[in-house]
Amino acid sequence: MGEAMVSGADQLRAVARAEAYSSRAAWAEAATTWEHVVAANPVNGDHWERLAQARFHLADFAGALAALEQVLVLGVSATREDTVAPGELRYRVAWCHAELGDTDQAVAALCDAVASGYRDVAGLADDERFRKVCGHPRFRELLGSVPRAGLGRDDGWRTNLEALADEIRRRAPRPAPTLDVEALVAAVPRLSDARIVVELTKLVAQLDDGHGFVEVPAGDPELSLLLPVQFSLFPEGLFVVAATPEHQDLLGAEVERFDGREVAEVLDALGPLVNKDNEYGARERIVQVLRRVPILHALDLTHAPDRVTLGLWAPDRRSTDVTLSATPGAWAQRNELPAPPGWLSFSDTSTDRPPLYLRNCEAFYWFEHLPEQRAVYFQFNTIRDHPHESIEAFARRLFEFIDRHEIERLVVDLRWNGGGNNMLVRPLLNGLTGSRRINRRGSLFVVIGRRTFSAGQYVATAIEAGTDAIFVGEPTGSRPNFVGETTPFRLPHRGIRVNVSDVHWQNSWPFDHRRWIAPELYAPPTFACLRAGRDPAMEAITGVWAALPH
């Protein structure tokens, strides 16, 4: 007969003690307690990983290696905030082998780590943990494609192109498109720097990856030049929606031409440069590319690399041409809301009291009681914990308010939610799915739009699956299932920063191939409504409320 099984209660108590020791960095006690935990339950990879962590901190590399080998077999939970990716696990295995003097094993494990998606390959060249193995021929071979700094102009751009192609092939979870970089490498001497940035951007944009991007450093005096206005696309056309104070007279102007070229022609030319999950996300991204004057000039869309003459239909209903000079700035993927710091937005000047959705869109999350409608309006703009109130604490306060005031209706506005950390939203989702008063047809409404993206898309997908919500607005800027992750790396020449996603997020059914979540109540933003201080989404919702029996 084997040893008697440890009772369930004792197992749970042991895990709680072990977690407490680990959280206090009491590694000796943690290691001993985790050893008891895995002896009682040897099939849980999370427990073995905690044991490996404790042994690692005690410099017990042989013990850590033995635990990590169990983790590689069993895997770890994907619901933990500190989940360790397979590439990182193998990196730790390599580290243990290196500390134990097993050079061949260390390098083999590093090769496995890179093949499993370890992200910081370039960092291995300077990693102090592997100084003892840096002379190993397989280690040098592993780093053979790591870009070299200090290259001349042409060699630098060639290295950028080759390194980016290597990272796309290594990272992209979908089969990467055919990457014909040889012709680009050969053409480098004939291309301007801005044109090469265009080609780098096109390579990433082929991936159907809304998280992908290519960014030049904010201080680059040649490549980072931006127009001092923000644009937005509406059914009526392209409009100036934010501007620096010296250009506030342009707010609300419709843009018809860039250096004489029609807006439609310019947008068509920029389409291949836009990283997107779908067409609605592209509408938000492309208006930022419109500000990048060196890129426009590299595509022969404008006459100069540092200024553009906009043909405008001004707010006073007259046609005019205005020449704007570009200045160095930080490339953004989406418009800053309501406007970049120190700028003015159109809603600042067009109405005394903007609608709810524009009043506090820079806040993380907030809600307002609508007593006449027995409703609460809740705007959820980013999935990050605010320093003064976590999402969990906010969700508790929100649902306590709903219960105390006998609220019958809730509007969750996700139209500005561009993402964050999926792991933080479970308390909010539990509150929505578990509320008998709110989780009913006609009581829960979700506003979505082109900026509902990444973790914001995850929330929309989870609400769709777990509630009877009615979705309102325009389609989301991402898909229910999408490729995404933000783990940027730098190319060596000119400090170009790139992101290529390496994770496929299956948040819906495997056979859900929709390009977006579509609203049941289609109420897209229009410039006419923005000018009038109206919100078509909330008008659609209140119209439903008015039609319901009291």
Side-chain angles (χ1 to χ4, degrees):
M1 296 289 290
E3 294 183 11
M5 291 184 62
V6 178
S7 74
D10 285 342
Q11 286 190 53
L12 294 178
R13 280 193 288 267
V15 170
R17 286 197 305 274
E19 291 284 12
Y21 286 135
S22 291
S23 66
R24 298 201 302 269
W27 299 118
E29 295 86 349
T32 299
T33 312
W34 283 119
E35 287 165 3
H36 291 309
V37 168
V38 299
N41 178 3
V43 297
N44 190 313
D46 287 358
H47 297 165
W48 282 103
E49 192 275 326
R50 290 287 204 254
L51 173 58
Q53 179 190 59
R55 287 174 171 173
F56 211 91
H57 282 283
L58 295 171
D60 176 11
F61 298 108
L65 180 60
L68 285 170
E69 288 170 347
Q70 292 295 319
V71 180
L72 290 174
V73 172
L74 299 171
V76 290
S77 170
T79 60
R80 286 169 35 193
E81 278 191 62
D82 60 346
T83 295
V84 186
E88 175 66 24
L89 285 172
R90 286 170 170 81
Y91 170 87
R92 295 183 187 180
V93 169
W95 187 356
C96 289
H97 281 302
E99 292 289 346
L100 293 169
D102 300 331
T103 301
D104 290 342
Q105 295 278 14
V107 175
L110 275 180
C111 292
D112 288 344
V114 171
S116 299
Y118 181 72
R119 288 164 174 168
D120 188 17
V121 179
L124 294 176
D126 300 314
D127 195 326
E128 293 291 334
R129 303 176 181 97
F130 298 104
R131 285 296 181 196
K132 298 176 183 177
V133 304
C134 63
H136 194 285
R138 286 194 69 193
F139 186 78
R140 293 197 301 270
E141 181 182 336
L142 181 67
L143 300 183
S145 62
V146 173
R148 295 167 290 138
L151 299 173
R153 187 265 180 193
D154 289 358
D155 284 341
W157 282 120
R158 290 186 184 111
T159 301
N160 279 359
L161 285 162
E162 292 167 348
L164 176 58
D166 286 346
E167 283 300 285
I168 287 174
R169 295 186 186 103
R170 194 175 74 85
R171 291 183 180 227
R174 293 194 185 114
T178 302
L179 300 173
D180 182 14
V181 297
E182 292 182 5
L184 287 174
V185 167
V188 161
R190 303 190 304 272
L191 300 176
S192 69
D193 288 0
R195 181 68 198 203
I196 298 173
V197 172
V198 166
E199 299 304 327
L200 290 168
T201 305
K202 285 181 178 178
L203 288 173
V204 176
Q206 294 180 68
L207 300 177
D208 217 17
D209 170 10
H211 287 74
F213 60 73
V214 173
E215 292 179 347
V216 301
D220 191 303
E222 175 193 356
L223 297 177
S224 71
L225 300 180
L226 297 170
L227 291 177
V229 293
Q230 283 190 163
F231 307 106
S232 190
L233 278 167
F234 296 93
E236 301 98 320
L238 180 74
F239 289 83
V240 177
V241 292
T244 57
E246 58 267 32
H247 296 296
Q248 63 178 299
D249 58 316
L250 302 182
L251 291 169
E254 182 178 1
V255 184
E256 298 180 321
R257 294 173 303 280
F258 282 70
D259 276 353
R261 292 183 182 270
E262 298 293 325
V263 164
E265 179 185 355
V266 176
L267 293 175
D268 284 345
L270 294 179
L273 278 68
V274 178
N275 299 283
K276 63 184 185 301
D277 288 341
N278 62 39
E279 293 79 357
Y280 277 84
R283 294 183 189 187
E284 181 61 30
R285 301 298 181 88
I286 201 167
V287 294
Q288 278 294 330
V289 184
L290 281 171
R291 300 182 58 216
R292 301 171 188 171
V293 184
I295 300 303
L296 301 179
H297 183 251
L299 290 168
D300 296 323
L301 298 172
T302 58
H303 303 320
D306 59 353
R307 61 190 178 276
V308 175
T309 298
L310 299 180
L312 303 173
W313 187 252
D316 61 5
R317 314 314 299 160
R318 61 186 176 83
S319 181
T320 186
D321 288 343
V322 174
T323 299
L324 297 178
S325 295
T327 56
W331 282 16
Q333 302 303 311
R334 296 180 290 271
N335 280 344
E336 293 186 65
L337 294 173
W343 289 31
L344 295 170
S345 72
F346 177 68
S347 60
D348 291 333
T349 60
S350 62
T351 179
D352 292 334
R353 185 166 174 77
L356 271 175
Y357 82 104
L358 289 175
R359 290 182 198 169
N360 206 14
C361 49
E362 70 277 12
F364 283 24
Y365 28 79
W366 60 279
F367 69 85
E368 182 167 317
H369 186 198
L370 307 177
E372 292 185 4
Q373 289 88 11
R374 303 187 303 283
V376 164
Y377 172 85
F378 157 40
Q379 193 173 82
F380 193 18
N381 295 329
T382 186
I383 305 177
R384 294 178 291 156
D385 279 335
H386 191 278
H388 301 304
E389 185 178 38
S390 68
I391 292 175
E392 182 175 9
F394 174 85
R396 185 164 51 248
R397 179 165 64 89
L398 170 66
F399 290 108
E400 286 175 355
F401 182 92
I402 288 172
D403 290 339
R404 284 200 313 270
H405 292 80
E406 298 187 355
I407 301 299
E408 297 179 8
R409 298 158 178 163
L410 175 64
V411 177
V412 181
D413 193 339
L414 297 175
R415 78 186 91 178
W416 303 136
N417 198 314
N421 186 347
N422 292 1
M423 304 297 181
L424 300 177
V425 296
R426 185 54 51 189
L428 176 64
L429 296 174
N430 288 343
L432 289 173
T433 56
S435 175
R436 294 183 179 180
R437 182 180 299 157
I438 296 301
N439 189 7
R440 295 182 298 148
R441 186 72 174 172
S443 291
L444 178 59
F445 293 80
V446 179
V447 185
I448 52 176
R450 65 189 71 175
R451 289 176 67 114
T452 308
F453 180 75
S454 191
Q457 174 71 53
Y458 167 80
V459 171
T461 304
I463 293 175
E464 181 189 48
T467 74
D468 286 321
I470 295 173
F471 284 76
V472 187
E474 64 177 353
T476 56
S478 187
R479 303 179 171 115
N481 296 325
F482 60 86
V483 169
E485 195 76 351
T486 304
T487 54
F489 56 94
R490 285 198 184 275
L491 303 176
H493 188 65
R494 297 290 287 265
I496 303 297
R497 184 169 175 262
V498 182
N499 190 68
V500 174
S501 296
D502 58 0
V503 176
H504 181 258
W505 290 90
Q506 185 175 297
N507 302 315
S508 183
W509 298 104
F511 42 79
D512 187 344
H513 298 296
R514 289 176 296 170
R515 294 189 63 79
W516 51 63
I517 290 180
E520 292 181 69
L521 298 179
Y522 182 54
T526 67
F527 185 73
C529 284
L530 180 66
R531 182 173 53 216
R534 296 167 47 205
D535 180 0
M538 279 302 292
E539 289 178 4
I541 292 170
T542 55
V544 172
W545 289 347
L548 294 174
H550 293 282

